[in-house]
Amino acid sequence: MVALRRAALFLGAFLGPFGGGLTAAMLPELGADFGVPTATASVSITAYLLPFAGVMLVSGTLGDRWGRGRTVVAGYALYVVASLACVLAVSWPVFLAGRALQGVANAFTTPVLLAALAAAVEPDRLGRALGWFGSLQAAGQTSAPLFGGLAAEVDWRWAFWGAAGVALLLGVVGIPGGSARATGDARPRLRSAWTGPVLRLGLVAAIGWGCLAGLNFLLALRLEEQFGLGAGPRGLVLTALGVAGILTARLIGGAVDRLGPRRCVLAGAVGGGVLVALIGLVPVLGVVVALWALGGVCSQLILVGVNALVLGPAGGGGGGAVSVVQAVRFAGTAASPVALTPVYHADPLVAFFAPAALLAAGVPAVLAVDRTRRA
């Protein structure tokens, strides 16, 4: 049973990002069914992400209070209810409410799962475990549009039936340990994780994800306008980042254990900055695809490294710290399209060079401030 629960812990890493991107490829079908334009149907993505990021500011601390096992099971139960609400929705507002509820439910699983993972493995193997966790998150993010699109060929509701079924199974299995609740003086306050070091790590995660993996929309624009790729080929190219992260998960986790998370974050940020600049500059499609795949390695170095830092002594190691970092990370990812799409239409090169500079210079600067303050 312990092995099954540990496997369920990793599978939970897949479900959260999968749910977030599930509607990306079914927007025309959603619009047709609910009588709204496709542009309006895209709000289904935002309806999930905003509650997800907002509730994560406190969900990890609440998970530490209530007990991680109880919190995760409750989160999965809410996810089942939310998915069924989407399946049974007879109007657009009801469907959006179901999506928002999915986001809230996921906010009570992802950060708590990370904290439970750190408690379940030996410290010298934390990087490897986080590498696998991160690779499954990338797999969920990458495969969601594919599964959602395939389901929409028959009936988009099947995708939500499937998500509800997986969440139900995960809730039945549970996770290793984590049933005890914090009491007395050990009971964390909601703002106890909002410390300077934790917020700085969140900023690193926001820059690292929003300026690298979060640039898939920017690459899609370039693939269409400069290389003439249709929707299917564009989607296939975009999966290269996630596939590369999955294939190199063990190597990335081992590097974090051997070299230290801080060095890996720096390597991923500087290397990612160079790659993003080249992706916006190189005129050869095959080279752009290869660079995007290498970006998957760099983004995982940043993500796994940041998670290892926040789960270590510098970040406090609790679910509250993890959830705050993840909330700031997703806020940065959500801001990326809003900030960079107008820049792209004004000057495509600047739209790639600006995030490249933030990666290569901004992340080292934030980590340097953190190290100086701790010294």
Side-chain angles (χ1 to χ4, degrees):
M1 190 63 176
V2 173
L4 184 60
R5 286 183 170 177
R6 183 166 292 194
L9 191 155
F10 282 100
L11 186 56
F14 178 93
L15 184 62
F18 180 83
L22 194 56
T23 63
M26 60 174 70
L27 299 180
E29 289 77 12
L30 286 174
D33 268 17
F34 290 110
V36 298
T38 300
T40 302
S42 67
V43 176
S44 63
I45 300 173
T46 307
Y48 181 100
L49 290 176
L50 285 181
F52 175 49
V55 175
M56 270 203 298
L57 288 171
V58 297
S59 61
T61 302
L62 292 174
D64 288 341
R65 281 187 179 186
W66 300 336
R68 291 168 186 162
R70 295 185 180 92
T71 302
V72 168
V73 170
Y76 285 141
L78 184 60
Y79 198 96
V80 172
V81 172
S83 299
L84 293 179
C86 292
V87 170
L88 301 174
V90 294
S91 67
W92 182 239
V94 173
F95 179 81
L96 288 183
R99 288 291 286 165
L101 201 59
Q102 277 189 319
V104 171
N106 186 214
F108 283 97
T109 58
T110 297
V112 181
L113 288 173
L114 275 167
L117 177 64
V121 301
E122 299 79 5
D124 61 346
R125 297 183 62 85
L126 179 60
R128 291 177 179 84
L130 291 175
W132 286 116
F133 194 95
S135 72
L136 284 166
Q137 285 188 308
Q141 184 178 24
T142 302
S143 63
L146 175 61
F147 281 97
L150 291 174
E153 292 286 344
V154 182
D155 186 336
W156 59 264
R157 291 174 178 81
W158 282 110
F160 289 91
W161 278 117
V166 172
L168 180 61
L169 289 174
L170 290 173
V172 170
V173 173
I175 62 172
S179 60
R181 292 177 290 180
T183 57
D185 294 338
R187 188 178 174 86
R189 294 177 298 146
L190 289 180
R191 296 187 61 180
S192 60
W194 298 12
T195 65
V198 170
L199 292 173
R200 283 191 290 274
L201 287 175
L203 180 58
V204 169
I207 296 173
W209 207 251
C211 293
L212 187 49
L215 294 184
N216 52 3
F217 71 97
L218 209 60
L219 178 57
L221 289 173
R222 184 163 194 244
L223 291 172
E224 179 186 16
E225 295 181 6
Q226 297 188 21
F227 296 105
L229 294 188
R234 288 199 307 271
L236 189 60
V237 170
L238 293 179
T239 63
L241 182 140
V243 170
I246 295 167
L247 294 177
T248 57
R250 183 176 183 134
L251 292 175
I252 291 170
V256 170
D257 285 334
R258 290 192 306 273
L259 303 176
R262 188 175 296 274
R263 290 178 180 173
C264 289
V265 172
L266 287 171
V270 174
V274 173
L275 291 173
V276 168
L278 291 175
I279 287 170
L281 187 64
V282 172
V284 181
L285 178 59
V287 176
V288 170
V289 175
L291 293 171
W292 182 244
L294 289 174
V297 179
C298 290
S299 64
Q300 288 299 307
L301 279 169
I302 296 171
L303 179 61
V304 175
V306 167
N307 283 337
L309 284 170
V310 75
L311 287 166
V322 174
S323 65
V324 169
V325 168
Q326 295 298 315
V328 178
R329 169 195 162 199
F330 279 100
T333 306
S336 186
V338 177
L340 293 176
T341 300
V343 178
Y344 179 86
H345 290 306
D347 190 327
L349 278 179
V350 173
F352 282 94
F353 285 178
L358 270 176
L359 281 166
V363 169
V366 175
L367 287 178
V369 169
D370 188 49
R371 172 169 284 183
T372 300
R373 287 180 178 272
R374 287 192 294 110

